[in-house]
Amino acid sequence: MADASMDNHRHEAEVVVIGAGLSGVAAVIALRRAGFENVVVLEKSGRLGGTWRDNTYPGCGCDVPSVLYEYSFAPHSWSRGFADRSEILDYLDTTAATHGVDKSIRYDTEVLSIRWQPGAHRWNLQTTSGTYTARAVIVATGPWHRPRHPDIPGLSTFPGTAFHSARWNHEVDLTGRRVAVVGTGASTVQFLPEIQPKAAHVDVFQSTPQWVLPKPDYLLPPGLHRFFEHHPAARRALRGLHHWTQEAIGVPLRHPHLLRPLESLARLHLRTSVRDRALRRALIPDYRLGGRRLITSAAYYPALTRPNVRLHPTRVTAVEGSDVIGADGTRTHADIIVLATGYHIGDIPLAPHLHGTDGSLAQAWADNRRAYLGTSVSGYPNLFLLIGPNLLTGTTAVPTVLEAQLRYITTALNHLRTSGATALDVKPEAEAAHQQALHKALRNTVYNAAGGTGYYFGLPGINTFCWPWSTGRLVKRLHAFDPELYTWALPLPAQTRAKRDRMPASPSSRLQ
């Protein structure tokens, strides 16, 4: 958290959105369409974009088909099947400008603390630009927010340059240099083919091999887009093809006994890309496909076979001077170290400073990050999470989840507006029942493989990332807001009876 001094300005809003990335932009548009005009977005950076603003490493792009990585209300003429980072960022800029979202964004405004005011039934937000109060808060900081920096002895005294791939240092020229890459996740798979031709030598340290499927990328020429403009059904068909292909891949992930054909495809991809048997053996995972994040690439395996690249199938245990040392005793000289060690997935940096009715979110999530439908957390009235716990899989496009969540949230806020209530809070028993069903279903999927560690496990042994059912079921569940699963409250006992009479007349709802 920044230690900037706050000014004395006070601002009031009906809804405050935290974060101006893919989620935040969608939130403003959905709220306005639902009739909420007094919406403010607080963005700590100087521009919008979220993870697509922050990640600038070479080769950065989307691993979901472009036609699925767009808002349903803002189709785009993508240049290729899988868009790169700059095209996605341009798309967000254009969409925000078209819908006037940028007018609601308060840039260079970092949220320092959020507290629920029980008497007023409003949220109080202390920021680097003053104090904001809001009836509701939507947290749109995203799951890929805070880079994970490994604790490697000696790294702090490395005489060369070291940086995380999520905060790429473009002032460093890799040409003719010896580069050590720590980690072989989705980022490495994308940037290694880009840096390999420039570097004198690249040492890649792999603690865990990945399943890599071929990436069916292709160009979308302008002439095709003109055809789509005149034949929108053809574009819908292309989108449908990609959607159902993604869903088809998701079926064996939920039913691991069907995984063999997909694993065979991945092995064939490895065998045809890597001729060296020893290298191939080092790249074969010892867990089922889907136990960690799905990765697609046509360029990663060929890059590993180049003469100036060496794979070390071991984790890094220390840095001594300019030498990077592996757990197997490997010692290699490096001028530059790139930490491709991922993120604190699903971690909300504000959690220790976000206080509900009984303590901070960090305390509430100490043993398990939980939220009803990944959206509402009991004890945090009028607070909603976008892409919260257990809402994603390796095959569902984020915009699909976002739009379903925002339908749910705007319905909930409209219930507040029309009922006369001023606060709604998901019941702890509803949250607990959802968590129990979710984790029971996860036991039958491949998502809980890989020994309970890795990308999906925000806490040791607890999968806090994956939705264990189909995308269709996710959208259906989020489409049906049930007011009986929430408690409803008025701010003061002195509220008029007329307002009380307009509250939901459910025997399971109560006043606070």
Side-chain angles (χ1 to χ4, degrees), residues 18 111-116 123-126 137 139 350 353-356 383:
I18 303 174
V111 178
L112 304 175
S113 70
I114 313 176
R115 287 186 178 274
W116 176 249
W123 286 98
N124 180 285
L125 299 91
Q126 298 296 323
V137 170
V139 179
L350 278 168
H353 313 278
L354 201 171
H355 293 265
L383 181 95

Side-chain angles (χ1 to χ4, degrees), residues 237-358:
L238 177 64
R239 182 181 172 91
L241 173 64
H242 280 296
H243 170 78
W244 289 112
T245 298
Q246 295 290 106
E247 287 300 285
I249 294 172
V251 171
L253 302 184
R254 299 191 300 274
H255 306 280
H257 65 280
L258 301 174
L259 268 174
R260 193 172 300 277
L262 209 56
E263 291 177 337
S264 297
L265 174 62
R267 289 194 181 96
L268 177 63
H269 179 47
L270 173 59
R271 189 165 59 251
T272 56
S273 303
V274 179
R275 298 297 184 181
D276 185 287
R277 291 186 178 181
L279 177 57
R280 204 160 60 223
R281 282 196 299 271
L283 291 167
I284 297 175
D286 62 358
Y287 55 91
R288 301 301 303 272
L289 184 145
R292 295 177 185 269
R293 181 178 179 177
L294 280 180
I295 292 176
T296 61
S297 175
Y300 176 60
Y301 284 152
L304 286 172
T305 67
R306 299 295 184 252
N308 66 330
V309 176
R310 184 179 179 187
L311 179 76
H312 303 281
T314 182
R315 63 187 178 87
V316 174
T317 55
V319 175
E320 293 182 0
S322 295
D323 289 346
V324 181
I325 303 170
D328 63 354
T330 297
R331 180 183 288 264
T332 183
H333 178 81
D335 303 311
I336 299 164
I337 297 176
V338 180
L339 302 172
T341 47
Y343 297 86
H344 294 275
I345 297 295
D347 181 30
I348 297 177
L350 278 168
H353 313 278
L354 201 171
H355 293 265
T357 58
D358 187 24

Side-chain angles (χ1 to χ4, degrees), residues 357-368:
T357 58
D358 187 24
S360 72
L361 185 62
Q363 294 169 328
W365 279 6
D367 59 345
N368 184 14

Side-chain angles (χ1 to χ4, degrees), residues 77-96:
S77 297
W78 299 102
S79 65
R80 58 187 316 110
F82 291 81
D84 64 21
R85 170 250 178 194
S86 60
E87 190 170 8
I88 295 172
L89 197 56
D90 287 345
Y91 171 70
L92 290 177
D93 283 335
T94 300
T95 304

